[in-house]
Amino acid sequence: MPTDTSPPVTGRPDPGVLLAPPARPGDPLDAIDTPALLLDLDASDANVAALHAQAVAAGLAVRAHGKAHRCPRLALRQIAAGAVGICVQKVGEAEGFAAAGVRDILVTNEIVSPDKCLRLARLATLPGMRIATCVDDPLQVERLAAACASAGSRVDVLIEVDVGQQRCGVETPSQALAIAEAIDRAAPHLALRGLQAYHGRAQHLRGAGERAEAVARAAAVAREFRAALEQAGHAVSEISGGGTGSFPNEAGAGVWTELQAGSYALLDLDYRANAVDPAAPRLRQALGVMTTVISRRAAHAVLDGGLKSFAVDSGLPAMRDPRWKVVGLSDEHTVIRPLEGAAPLALGQRVILDPGHCDPTVNLHDWIVAYRGNTVEAVWPVLPRGASR
Amino acid sequence: MPTDTSPPVTGRPDPGVLLAPPARPGDPLDAIDTPALLLDLDASDANVAALHAQAVAAGLAVRAHGKAHRCPRLALRQIAAGAVGICVQKVGEAEGFAAAGVRDILVTNEIVSPDKCLRLARLATLPGMRIATCVDDPLQVERLAAACASAGSRVDVLIEVDVGQQRCGVETPSQALAIAEAIDRAAPHLALRGLQAYHGRAQHLRGAGERAEAVARAAAVAREFRAALEQAGHAVSEISGGGTGSFPNEAGAGVWTELQAGSYALLDLDYRANAVDPAAPRLRQALGVMTTVISRRAAHAVLDGGLKSFAVDSGLPAMRDPRWKVVGLSDEHTVIRPLEGAAPLALGQRVILDPGHCDPTVNLHDWIVAYRGNTVEAVWPVLPRGASR
């Protein structure tokens, strides 16, 4: 096959027509082009109000996790409802939220490539921007410092501590101390803000007691590291972590200063499989995916969304109408079977499904169709796939 | 929370900066920004040549399935290498490939909404366009006919027969005959081209014998439906189906006239788990995902791509270096552990992983970085997520 003679890469990957939104404000739900991501605003607003109220009552700030929805318009609503800012996992996400006007962003992740460090350092030059990221190795500190020196900016740093997640993070106080000293040496370009103490797995333990125990262990580790840093003269002004699945535990621990909840504005089947903590407000399912019946017979119907519309890492989606059972997905199809009492579905009929895992499901869609009752209220763009870089 | 006062939806969902490609032609692989989707052109070209040669030898046309890669530039290469055209699953994909110049497109799926029928009918008005779609219900025929009458165009139709997939498709010859008559009545706007006889599951049966049996049963069903239609005076000029996992079987069956293979240009771990058919050429792994080590300790390393870079519906990705084992993914992380003899990985080092399932993995990326040896040759755009509509 010949050597590629394509023109040089410039501009956009696709004809604009393909990015047309699936609905317009004022449309009835039955006019939405499918597959489409839906957000029930009444449910989402109620969830946001409930979690924010509980965090405020416990003296915690809410730093809404933008990784859950990647939607700048939704982040601005969470900030209007009291969140101090947002957190994200990627520099590309930080750039997208910053472009929409968000001015307090924490990257809850390690950055190591010089190019990405420079992009973050440049974001820090935006007027009014307060920005931070995590480190667990002196090399990350060194590269961030060099990038900030080059950009003439300052980035705050949280030392990530492994409080049970067994992923990133330092394991011993002496590692944390060495990093804190490296951060101090990089002043004024870097400043130690505190600790990242995130235990994502704890949020998905099914029993309320298991979650409480895991968070208590995480809190003990965070306390130990805070004490070691403070004894050595390093101020620890923030300890950031927690999330939707375990926030009553973090709120009650007296260690965390801010809560990194994201899924609470959306919800999914995996969080709903948790045994309810009596201390937590009931969160409602706000996120859905609308599909259309494109084929049907007596024993099943076939919907026009599959693995390219639903992430299945935490299980299959479920029909919002519980009289229909999802039996399988392929790239662009979901097969559903009727249970006792199911009303027949017509060819062309639209149905809504609840996703297994909200974050990677939103990442499969370009738009969030926000609705109340039977009417579309707004259509919000989602950051592109490239925001993972 | 207040009613949404966002400006009306217009234009693009994101700042253009986020869509910058992860590499430029001529870059060494170590300069690629991660996570990034990679295509080894030597492997892909060899796979394309081998499958096309076997299909030609068996008298079958290759209709390359664009759902696998959603990449117009790659489709044009497959056509240059002998494919008669492409197939897709969605009208949005058809629009994207048509915009890039592809002029023979089959939508291997049922379309039922009047809007989507009209979009397809409009595509059929493009000069030189040959377009077709599938039906399994008279309502789809009626709506397609109305759309083509409105657009002043003609669309070819394949009647989908359920040959074992148990998803879409008619189940009895009498259903097929009723649909064929409806198509005839819709002339000149619709024309019966033949049958869609696709058995995707057969491709993923592990044993070569199991695959051969499943395809033989599918062939028998397709023959029965062809005979019924021909006896009633309907010409069946094409029988389309088959794919990468089972193409030697379809090639030898004497029923299919064209092969809908897509994954062969990419490959994935799921296809590689099949026992090799001695009649099939060995296909090479061409698709990969490059990531960077962002955190590490003695017992594991953490990579900067997770569920938003790899589809895991068919299993976890695998490190191309077999001395490292993938132990878990979260949204933006993959944790890997060293096995016997593993060389240490440096912080910031780039590594390549092979995906479990190619189609939904490509769908997570904006760009394909096509390379030979250690050098980037081209960077090709992937159709946007909205192409699922």
Side-chain angles (χ1 to χ4, degrees):
Chain A
M1 211 172 285
T3 292
D4 188 84
T5 54
S6 313
V9 173
T10 52
R12 313 219 336 86
D14 50 76
V17 61
L18 290 167
L19 287 164
R24 302 209 149 256
D27 280 349
L29 296 194
D30 270 353
I32 297 171
D33 190 29
T34 64
L37 195 66
L38 263 57
L39 188 73
D40 179 335
L41 282 173
D42 289 334
S44 181
D45 289 353
N47 292 355
V48 168
L51 184 138
H52 287 205
Q54 185 156 2
V56 166
L60 258 76
V62 176
R63 179 174 292 284
H65 215 317
K67 86 180 177 80
H69 51 64
R70 284 192 162 187
C71 177
R73 299 268 178 93
L74 183 50
L76 293 172
R77 287 170 72 90
Q78 290 169 300
I79 291 167
V84 295
I86 65 157
C87 43
V88 297
Q89 286 190 304
K90 294 301 181 98
V91 176
E93 293 174 325
E95 290 169 333
F97 284 106
V102 177
R103 284 296 175 268
D104 190 336
I105 303 177
L106 164 64
V107 179
T108 60
N109 211 347
E110 282 66 21
I111 303 165
V112 64
S113 94
D115 283 355
K116 286 190 168 78
C117 290
L118 192 58
R119 285 162 56 199
L120 195 76
R122 285 186 181 142
L123 274 185
T125 65
L126 288 177
M129 177 62 83
R130 181 170 186 260
I131 202 154
T133 187
C134 298
V135 297
D136 67 1
D137 190 285
L139 179 65
Q140 297 144 358
V141 176
E142 183 187 311
R143 290 192 172 170
L144 277 171
C148 288
S150 166
S153 65
R154 193 195 85 177
V155 166
D156 288 349
V157 180
L158 279 71
I159 299 171
E160 179 159 9
V161 177
D162 185 351
V163 294
Q165 179 77 351
Q166 297 177 282
R167 196 172 63 187
C168 303
V170 296
E171 297 174 282
T172 66
S174 66
Q175 291 173 317
L177 284 168
I179 291 175
E181 285 159 21
I183 294 168
D184 282 356
R185 284 194 301 272
H189 294 302
L190 301 183
L192 178 67
R193 186 187 289 179
L195 301 178
Q196 164 82 357
Y198 180 74
H199 190 355
R201 289 186 196 184
Q203 300 186 58
H204 303 275
L205 297 171
R206 293 293 174 231
E210 295 174 280
R211 294 195 297 277
E213 281 169 33
V215 172
R217 285 194 299 273
V221 175
R223 264 189 217 100
E224 179 198 357
F225 278 74
R226 180 180 62 190
L229 286 167
E230 287 180 343
Q231 271 189 329
H234 300 287
V236 178
S237 57
E238 295 284 0
I239 298 186
S240 193
T244 297
S246 54
F247 71 92
N249 305 114
E250 284 98 9
V255 175
W256 284 275
T257 62
E258 63 178 28
L259 187 63
Q260 297 174 1
S263 307
Y264 71 110
L266 312 171
L267 226 60
D268 60 33
L269 296 174
D270 188 74
Y271 279 113
R272 285 163 57 193
N274 277 0
V276 174
D277 182 339
R282 283 283 187 138
L283 299 179
R284 292 163 58 188
Q285 184 64 42
L287 192 71
V289 177
M290 180 176 269
T291 66
T292 298
V293 177
I294 56 165
S295 179
R296 59 169 195 158
R297 8 178 129 158
H300 76 242
V302 184
L303 310 177
D304 69 345
L307 298 170
K308 292 179 182 174
S309 299
F310 300 95
V312 298
D313 56 278
S314 300
L316 301 185
M319 285 281 286
R320 196 160 283 179
D321 177 347
R323 296 167 302 178
W324 286 85
K325 181 176 169 56
V326 170
V327 293
L329 277 76
S330 44
D331 288 346
E332 296 280 12
H333 299 92
T334 294
V335 177
I336 57 174
R337 290 211 183 118
L339 303 176
E340 185 74 26
L345 292 173
L347 208 57
Q349 188 171 336
R350 287 165 173 81
V351 298
I352 298 177
L353 297 95
D354 297 336
H357 186 184
C358 53
D359 314 49
T361 294
V362 176
N363 185 53
L364 296 171
H365 297 265
D366 286 324
W367 304 96
I368 293 177
V369 179
Y371 70 99
R372 284 189 207 275
N374 191 42
T375 306
V376 174
E377 187 168 304
V379 184
W380 296 328
V382 176
L383 293 180
R385 301 174 286 204
S388 278
R389 286 194 276 123
Chain B
M1 212 172 284
T3 292
D4 188 82
T5 55
S6 314
V9 173
T10 52
R12 313 222 335 91
D14 51 74
V17 61
L18 291 166
L19 288 164
R24 302 209 150 256
D27 281 349
L29 295 195
D30 270 353
I32 297 171
D33 190 29
T34 63
L37 195 66
L38 264 57
L39 188 72
D40 178 336
L41 282 172
D42 289 334
S44 181
D45 288 353
N47 292 355
V48 168
L51 184 137
H52 288 206
Q54 185 156 3
V56 165
L60 258 76
V62 176
R63 179 174 291 284
H65 215 316
K67 85 178 179 82
H69 52 65
R70 284 190 162 187
C71 177
R73 299 266 178 94
L74 183 50
L76 292 172
R77 286 171 72 89
Q78 290 170 300
I79 291 167
V84 295
I86 65 158
C87 44
V88 297
Q89 285 191 304
K90 293 301 182 99
V91 176
E93 292 174 326
E95 290 169 333
F97 284 106
V102 177
R103 284 295 175 269
D104 190 336
I105 303 176
L106 164 64
V107 179
T108 61
N109 211 347
E110 282 67 21
I111 303 165
V112 64
S113 93
D115 283 356
K116 286 190 169 77
C117 290
L118 192 56
R119 284 163 55 199
L120 194 77
R122 285 185 181 142
L123 273 185
T125 65
L126 288 176
M129 177 62 84
R130 181 171 185 259
I131 201 155
T133 187
C134 298
V135 298
D136 67 1
D137 190 287
L139 180 64
Q140 297 145 357
V141 176
E142 184 186 311
R143 290 191 173 170
L144 278 170
C148 289
S150 166
S153 65
R154 192 195 86 179
V155 165
D156 288 349
V157 180
L158 279 71
I159 299 172
E160 180 161 8
V161 177
D162 185 351
V163 294
Q165 178 77 352
Q166 296 176 283
R167 195 171 65 186
C168 303
V170 296
E171 297 173 282
T172 66
S174 67
Q175 291 172 317
L177 285 167
I179 291 174
E181 285 159 22
I183 294 167
D184 281 355
R185 284 194 300 272
H189 295 301
L190 302 183
L192 179 66
R193 185 187 290 177
L195 300 178
Q196 164 82 357
Y198 180 74
H199 190 356
R201 289 186 196 184
Q203 299 186 57
H204 303 276
L205 297 172
R206 294 295 173 229
E210 296 174 280
R211 293 195 298 277
E213 282 170 31
V215 172
R217 286 193 298 272
V221 175
R223 264 189 216 101
E224 178 197 358
F225 278 75
R226 180 181 61 190
L229 286 166
E230 287 179 344
Q231 271 190 328
H234 300 286
V236 177
S237 58
E238 295 284 1
I239 298 186
S240 193
T244 297
S246 54
F247 71 92
N249 305 114
E250 284 99 8
V255 175
W256 283 275
T257 62
E258 62 178 28
L259 187 63
Q260 296 174 2
S263 306
Y264 71 109
L266 313 171
L267 226 59
D268 59 33
L269 296 174
D270 189 73
Y271 279 113
R272 285 163 57 194
N274 277 0
V276 174
D277 183 338
R282 284 282 187 136
L283 299 178
R284 291 163 59 188
Q285 184 64 42
L287 192 70
V289 177
M290 180 176 270
T291 66
T292 298
V293 177
I294 55 165
S295 179
R296 59 169 195 158
R297 355 178 140 161
H300 75 241
V302 184
L303 309 177
D304 70 345
L307 299 170
K308 292 179 181 173
S309 299
F310 299 96
V312 298
D313 56 278
S314 300
L316 301 185
M319 286 281 287
R320 196 160 283 180
D321 177 347
R323 296 167 300 175
W324 286 86
K325 181 178 169 57
V326 170
V327 292
L329 277 78
S330 44
D331 288 344
E332 296 281 12
H333 300 91
T334 294
V335 177
I336 57 174
R337 289 209 185 121
L339 302 177
E340 184 73 26
L345 291 174
L347 208 58
Q349 188 170 337
R350 287 163 173 82
V351 297
I352 299 176
L353 297 95
D354 297 336
H357 186 183
C358 53
D359 315 48
T361 294
V362 176
N363 185 52
L364 296 171
H365 297 265
D366 285 324
W367 304 95
I368 294 177
V369 179
Y371 70 100
R372 285 190 206 275
N374 190 43
T375 306
V376 174
E377 185 168 306
V379 184
W380 296 328
V382 176
L383 292 180
R385 302 175 285 206
S388 278
R389 286 194 277 122

